[in-house]
Amino acid sequence: MADSDQQLKSDAFLEQMKTHLTTDAGKEITKKIGLVYQLHIAPKKLGFNEVIYTVDLKKGEVKKGAFEGGKPDATFSFKDEDFIKIATGKMNPQIAFMRGAMKIKGSISAAQKFTPDIFPKPSKM
Amino acid sequence: MAMRDLVTGGASCNDSGSSSSSNPLGSLANALIGSSSKTRDRLKEIPTSTSSGSSNQFYSNSDEQLTALPGSESEYQFNQHSAGQDVGFLHNYRSASHSGFTEAWDDIQPERESNFLESRHIYNEGFATQTQQSWDGPPQKILSGFLHSFVDSSRFGAPFRPTALPMLGLTKGEKQCIRNRSSIMARHFFADKSEEYINAQVDALLCSLDIDNDIQLKGPLPGRVRELEEYWNESQGLRAPVADGWVAEYRQNKPELFNPNGWANLFEQEHGPNGWASEFEHDQAQAVSLNQSNQHMSRLAGMEQTRILAHTLAQNNDPKFKNSRFLQFVSKMSRGELFVEGNQVKESSISASGDWGAEYRQHHDGGLSWADHAREKELLGDDKWVDEFSKLNVQDWVGEFEHQAEGAVGEDIMDSWASAYDEYLNEQSVAKHNSDSSKGVYVFSDMNPYVGHPDPLKEGQELFRKGLLSESVLALEAEVLKNPDNAEGWRLLGIAHAENDDDQQAIASMMRAQEVDPTNLEVLLALGVSHTNELEQSTALKYLYQWLRNHSKYGTLSPEELPDSLYYADVARIFNEAAQISPEDADVHIVLGVLYNLSREYDKAIDSFKTAIKLKPHDYSLWNKLGATQANSVQSAEAIDAYQQALDLKPNYVRAWANMGISYANQGMYEESIRYYVRALAMNPKADNAWQYLRISLSCASRNDMLEACDSRNIDVLQKEFPL
């Protein structure tokens, strides 16, 4: 991890997501959603230096890099910070979309299932 | 006077004769003719005011409409749907020639307000014969009675029938209010019914109240966008004033842009008063309104409308216009050689939502764009206008239109819309934004009873010791207001905030403490921890490294010059050295534990914290750190034990309560998690994170009934519902 030129909050967060998906609650989510999301996370500005993650809620995996098994059901682009806000329930995905803080490609109905519910909440020390 | 002719010469418009009771105007006429001359005189004074109540209700398609005010047509259309029983009257009405009537109707539009009292009176006389219920009394009473009947209808499950009401003189704002409220209410009433049913009910209600239905049309955008809107409403829940009203609010902010009337007017200003712009817009609105209920119907109706439009256009005397390609285009459309997909037309007719629509379509391959559709119909290949039109993709068209309408708008369509909306949002939550954006700036409480206290620091320490965190925060705030250079005051304030589960404020106060006392180890550690919690890894690393540098014992371990960019591995290595030098120093293990949290080596972190706990078994914050680490490495069950230890040591430890909730939620035990969140919030209602998590848990546990209490932050209700 910790190379300081590109450190995203989302890295830590998605790492937790990865382990979370192995738990019973995580498997429940996989079963419920059953979709593949691709996340493009930009450190500062949308579209620049994006880090791509695949959140495969069919198999219950989080991987760095684009989805290899075809076309993801929905692709999201956001800034690091905004992704964290959305995932922790600080920002409503709809508002994010309307503000232009989140761009969506793919199926809208798949995108609608992209809610804070599917993410684990980080505990605080 | 036309109206008078109409009323007194009732025969011409009442040729079926027998149906006077189902013919409101006829019955009105009867009532009037039979009534006192005084009433008749009053009628003369305001010759057409009676129509404002009834005609709205029983109007229908007729050629006159096309010269009526723009934007009103869809309203009529709705009324036609709902008042189908009056078809007979409509036929009569159409057959009669009374263009003067329309003129008069136009005349009285502005007078409505002032005349409504008299008109109601007169109207009631004629009207009472038709409805069992007589709507009499002051407007408020009528309105409330009417709304009650709406509510009743929900109880009996009977579809609500639109009723003609006297003019209530509702202002625009009131109408909007009623519209919003009733659609929300209806959703509650008819939770078990289908969406169409609810809409029909609300439409009927609004229609009776003479509230613009076309607002409804524009509010929730039709088609799939509507789905999104619903979802939005649902997810917004009780942010309702904002959420449900935003479309309306937005429109208020930018009436020019949004209102199709305004659009038409603007267009007219540019292209001379031919009126075709408004006509065309009518047509589109029409198509849209129908499209909502029935796509097939919409085509037919659209064609019908276009035919009328073409007819009107053809009648236009302007020879230039007569030969215009637009007219050709429209007439082709009217012959059915080209029809319009309602959604697309709609999107291009309503400018602001059109932007969104365009963006939406970009992401949505399914929808066939209007232009594409036009291109498909090769019949129009030789038609230059359409050709030109189809070459432009719809976005360009919308963009160009915006240029005309507004001068110049930003190129990025989405942005222009979003930023306008942002403006509004910003206004709404300036305070919230401030605290969000200006991170690191301490935000003081508004009302602080401890200001003026002789020794707030002592009071704050005492309160902190007793575990009254929120109170001690106030006392300490009073202290640092009095003595802004009191590092201890800031430090304790920071710790109180951290324990209260507010890392932003904790960071802000710790930064102030560090300004005053840059080498305080506790402050540096606290900053490291809080930044780790906020996932700000490099900042956290910086503070932890400073901790090491400033430590009297380990400071020498680090290289003299502070590197520009810190490498985690280097820092971790040095800390490991430190831990070897003095394995009995709990603090080193704590920092190491935090460091491993940063690198997400949770097993090592757990070991470090466990070692530290052995050395300091009564440090509740350590137990919480252990628990949080375990939770983040998905050992939620173990985490709960650790939190329990922390809470045994410090029962008012808000952060531990909230963490308990998180652990249960992450295990999918939402009911339990709610109880813990509520407990945490009861102790510190300012813990924003906990509110957000509570909301998620409530919806996961299908307790949407409590979302309202959550959104209004009504902790009493929640505590009652979810006792621990």
Side-chain angles (χ1 to χ4, degrees):
Chain A
M1 62 138 275
D3 46 343
S4 51
D5 40 294
Q6 196 166 80
Q7 265 183 357
L8 298 174
K9 293 182 187 185
S10 312
D11 290 334
F13 191 81
L14 286 166
E15 188 82 16
Q16 197 190 336
M17 176 87 182
K18 195 181 197 167
T19 37
H20 180 64
L21 286 176
T22 61
T23 65
D24 288 346
K27 281 172 188 151
E28 200 64 32
I29 292 166
T30 313
K31 211 159 68 184
K32 201 174 86 189
I33 307 286
L35 297 166
V36 179
Y37 295 122
Q38 190 168 306
L39 313 180
H40 294 228
I41 299 165
K44 284 273 172 324
K45 197 166 182 288
L46 271 181
F48 290 87
N49 303 321
E50 282 178 338
V51 177
I52 299 175
Y53 274 97
T54 302
V55 178
D56 186 338
L57 294 178
K58 268 188 190 128
K59 290 187 200 155
E61 288 172 349
V62 179
K63 271 192 200 153
K64 216 164 177 170
F67 183 52
E68 284 158 3
K71 218 175 139 199
D73 292 291
T75 305
F76 299 90
S77 314
F78 21 48
K79 286 190 287 182
D80 188 27
E81 217 163 282
D82 291 332
F83 169 60
I84 296 294
K85 278 189 190 160
I86 290 164
T88 55
K90 277 198 186 75
M91 199 197 274
N92 182 306
Q94 269 76 35
I95 292 184
F97 174 69
M98 290 182 187
R99 281 188 182 173
M102 177 168 85
K103 309 258 180 196
I104 304 175
K105 271 183 205 148
S107 142
I108 290 286
S109 63
Q112 280 180 358
K113 289 192 184 170
F114 189 79
T115 58
D117 315 7
I118 63 173
F119 295 104
K121 282 99 212 145
S123 303
K124 306 228 167 162
M125 291 190 291
Chain B
M1 196 59 241
M3 182 61 195
R4 208 168 134 62
D5 289 347
L6 185 69
V7 171
T8 51
S12 72
C13 69
N14 198 16
D15 53 1
S16 61
S18 60
S19 64
S20 66
S21 66
S22 70
N23 178 338
L25 207 57
S27 70
L28 173 63
N30 287 344
L32 287 171
I33 290 161
S35 68
S36 71
S37 59
K38 198 183 159 206
T39 319
R40 215 178 306 169
D41 287 343
R42 217 188 293 161
L43 185 71
K44 271 183 218 164
E45 283 164 32
I46 38 159
T48 53
S49 59
T50 46
S51 71
S52 56
S54 59
S55 57
N56 230 354
Q57 200 59 31
F58 306 109
Y59 232 137
S60 154
N61 270 342
S62 67
D63 288 352
E64 279 88 346
Q65 253 178 294
L66 295 167
T67 61
L69 291 176
S72 46
E73 192 167 78
S74 57
E75 198 177 321
Y76 299 141
Q77 193 61 28
F78 261 81
N79 292 336
Q80 193 190 19
H81 281 306
S82 53
Q85 68 267 38
D86 298 299
V87 168
F89 171 68
L90 300 175
H91 281 302
N92 298 338
Y93 179 74
R94 209 177 288 155
S95 63
S97 86
H98 35 233
S99 56
F101 180 83
T102 315
E103 270 171 46
W105 156 257
D106 287 345
D107 280 344
I108 52 95
Q109 290 283 31
E111 289 169 31
R112 283 177 170 205
E113 295 285 315
S114 55
N115 284 340
F116 85 92
L117 268 175
E118 283 122 307
S119 67
R120 176 172 56 78
H121 189 71
I122 300 167
Y123 184 78
N124 274 348
E125 284 182 57
F127 195 74
T129 57
Q130 208 197 7
T131 46
Q132 295 102 326
Q133 222 165 342
S134 89
W135 303 102
D136 214 347
Q140 291 90 340
K141 206 174 149 199
I142 299 175
L143 183 59
S144 83
F146 180 65
L147 290 174
H148 274 297
S149 74
F150 177 65
V151 174
D152 287 342
S153 83
S154 75
R155 214 170 290 147
F156 305 124
F160 184 71
R161 300 235 121 224
T163 319
L165 283 183
M167 291 300 291
L168 294 170
L170 296 171
T171 65
K172 221 173 149 190
E174 283 165 344
K175 285 181 179 183
Q176 218 167 59
C177 184
I178 293 171
R179 183 174 52 76
N180 290 341
R181 286 298 141 89
S182 53
S183 41
I184 297 166
M185 259 169 38
R187 275 175 204 198
H188 284 285
F189 291 155
F190 308 117
D192 51 333
K193 300 278 189 359
S194 73
E195 181 68 18
E196 291 93 89
Y197 181 81
I198 295 171
N199 283 341
Q201 295 287 74
V202 176
D203 286 344
L205 174 74
L206 296 180
C207 164
S208 301
L209 286 173
D210 189 25
I211 294 171
D212 273 5
N213 279 306
D214 62 343
I215 293 178
Q216 268 267 325
L217 281 180
K218 282 170 247 152
L221 297 162
R224 284 187 245 213
V225 189
R226 173 177 271 259
E227 209 177 291
L228 196 62
E229 167 85 9
E230 273 164 39
Y231 183 74
W232 155 279
N233 281 342
E234 212 174 273
S235 64
Q236 281 303 88
L238 217 244
R239 261 197 255 164
V242 182
D244 285 285
W246 72 267
V247 176
E249 298 280 341
Y250 176 71
R251 197 176 311 119
Q252 272 182 346
N253 287 353
K254 294 208 136 193
E256 287 292 294
L257 193 74
F258 205 93
N259 191 342
N261 298 359
W263 177 78
N265 289 340
L266 281 164
F267 218 80
E268 242 165 9
Q269 275 166 25
E270 294 214 13
H271 297 271
N274 281 330
W276 65 266
S278 61
E279 298 304 338
F280 187 52
E281 194 276 332
H282 270 193
D283 170 43
Q284 290 172 328
Q286 183 81 37
V288 170
S289 77
L290 283 167
N291 186 52
Q292 267 193 325
S293 52
N294 190 321
Q295 187 120 45
H296 182 63
M297 277 296 290
S298 107
R299 266 181 201 170
L300 293 178
M303 250 166 74
E304 171 70 3
Q305 279 301 303
T306 328
R307 194 188 55 72
I308 298 168
L309 171 58
H311 179 65
T312 316
L313 291 173
Q315 280 181 334
N316 196 306
N317 289 329
D318 189 349
K320 204 171 132 205
F321 187 73
K322 239 175 176 169
N323 298 328
S324 81
R325 297 183 193 282
F326 178 70
L327 181 55
Q328 290 171 23
F329 168 69
V330 168
S331 53
K332 275 187 183 170
M333 218 150 85
S334 73
R335 290 196 297 274
E337 290 167 18
L338 169 71
F339 46 79
V340 175
E341 290 287 330
N343 269 346
Q344 274 71 24
V345 174
K346 197 248 161 192
E347 276 153 13
S348 47
S349 75
I350 297 171
S351 70
S353 61
D355 297 355
W356 195 41
E359 176 78 13
Y360 175 75
R361 195 176 323 113
Q362 258 194 338
H363 300 299
H364 211 80
D365 320 327
L368 192 55
S369 85
W370 194 85
D372 283 345
H373 204 93
R375 207 183 301 131
E376 262 185 16
K377 301 278 153 187
E378 297 208 338
L379 291 163
L380 297 165
D382 58 343
D383 192 319
K384 208 172 156 196
W385 187 86
V386 176
D387 214 26
E388 201 183 336
F389 186 73
S390 63
K391 265 185 216 155
L392 302 165
N393 67 39
V394 178
Q395 271 163 277
D396 288 352
W397 190 79
V398 172
E400 214 163 71
F401 157 66
E402 257 174 10
H403 270 281
Q404 290 174 336
E406 214 191 16
V409 188
E411 295 82 50
D412 190 337
I413 289 165
M414 182 64 183
D415 273 0
S416 73
W417 190 74
S419 64
Y421 179 55
D422 257 6
E423 268 170 35
Y424 159 69
L425 264 192
N426 286 347
E427 280 164 22
Q428 290 284 311
S429 55
V430 171
K432 206 160 182 285
H433 264 240
N434 279 350
S435 66
D436 251 9
S437 57
S438 57
K439 209 166 144 192
V441 175
Y442 191 85
V443 184
F444 285 97
S445 309
D446 286 341
M447 301 286 284
N448 192 336
Y450 293 95
V451 170
H453 193 281
D455 190 356
L457 178 61
K458 198 167 168 240
E459 183 73 22
Q461 286 166 332
E462 181 66 14
L463 288 164
F464 183 80
R465 201 181 51 74
K466 283 188 198 155
L468 299 166
L469 292 171
S470 295
E471 283 294 300
S472 94
V473 163
L474 289 174
L476 291 166
E477 279 184 5
E479 167 65 23
V480 296
L481 280 171
K482 208 165 106 186
N483 306 315
D485 288 338
N486 185 339
E488 175 58 17
W490 282 113
R491 186 192 70 84
L492 199 57
L493 184 56
I495 289 178
H497 274 304
E499 293 188 3
N500 239 347
D501 205 28
D502 190 341
D503 275 307
Q504 296 286 337
Q505 288 279 71
I507 288 172
S509 28
M510 283 300 182
M511 278 168 76
R512 295 293 296 270
Q514 202 221 355
E515 263 171 44
V516 184
D517 182 1
T519 60
N520 187 312
L521 295 180
E522 285 178 76
V523 171
L524 291 170
L525 175 57
L527 278 168
V529 170
S530 283
H531 281 292
T532 308
N533 285 339
E534 294 291 292
L535 302 170
E536 289 153 351
Q537 302 171 45
S538 54
T539 322
L541 194 61
K542 187 182 90 191
Y543 284 115
L544 294 177
Y545 184 68
Q546 280 185 34
W547 184 92
L548 190 79
R549 295 267 302 166
N550 288 303
H551 199 284
S552 54
K553 215 162 146 191
Y554 317 118
T556 51
L557 288 172
S558 64
E560 275 309 304
E561 74 286 0
L562 196 74
D564 286 340
S565 57
L566 287 164
Y567 283 98
Y568 168 78
D570 297 342
V571 179
R573 184 177 44 78
I574 301 167
F575 268 98
N576 271 318
E577 279 175 34
Q580 277 162 17
I581 292 171
S582 42
E584 298 303 305
D585 186 348
D587 289 348
V588 178
H589 292 288
I590 296 172
V591 182
L592 209 47
V594 178
L595 268 179
Y596 285 130
N597 255 295
L598 271 182
S599 62
R600 299 188 291 277
E601 296 167 80
Y602 293 117
D603 292 344
K604 286 187 187 171
I606 290 168
D607 288 343
S608 299
F609 284 135
K610 279 186 175 160
T611 315
I613 284 173
K614 273 184 205 138
L615 300 166
K616 268 189 176 179
H618 296 295
D619 187 337
Y620 52 81
S621 79
L622 255 180
W623 282 107
N624 180 60
K625 285 186 176 68
L626 174 64
T629 310
Q630 286 169 330
N632 286 339
S633 70
V634 293
Q635 305 174 16
S636 292
E638 291 90 333
I640 284 168
D641 293 339
Y643 293 142
Q644 197 56 60
Q645 292 281 352
L647 289 172
D648 288 347
L649 291 163
K650 179 156 186 144
N652 283 1
Y653 198 175
V654 176
R655 168 148 290 169
W657 286 109
N659 277 338
M660 280 276 219
I662 291 171
S663 280
Y664 280 115
N666 283 350
Q667 292 180 73
M669 299 154 82
Y670 297 111
E671 276 281 345
E672 284 83 353
S673 77
I674 292 170
R675 295 175 199 283
Y676 285 94
Y677 290 140
V678 169
R679 171 58 84 87
L681 289 166
M683 282 183 272
N684 179 21
K686 287 181 188 166
D688 286 342
N689 278 330
W691 281 113
Q692 285 143 13
Y693 293 159
L694 172 62
R695 196 170 201 290
I696 295 170
S697 277
L698 281 171
S699 61
C700 286
S702 311
R703 291 304 303 264
N704 291 341
D705 53 321
M706 282 290 137
L707 284 180
E708 195 179 320
C710 175
D711 289 329
S712 58
R713 304 206 160 181
N714 189 341
I715 195 69
D716 294 333
V717 172
L718 290 162
Q719 263 188 304
K720 221 171 170 183
E721 186 70 22
F722 304 106
L724 195 62

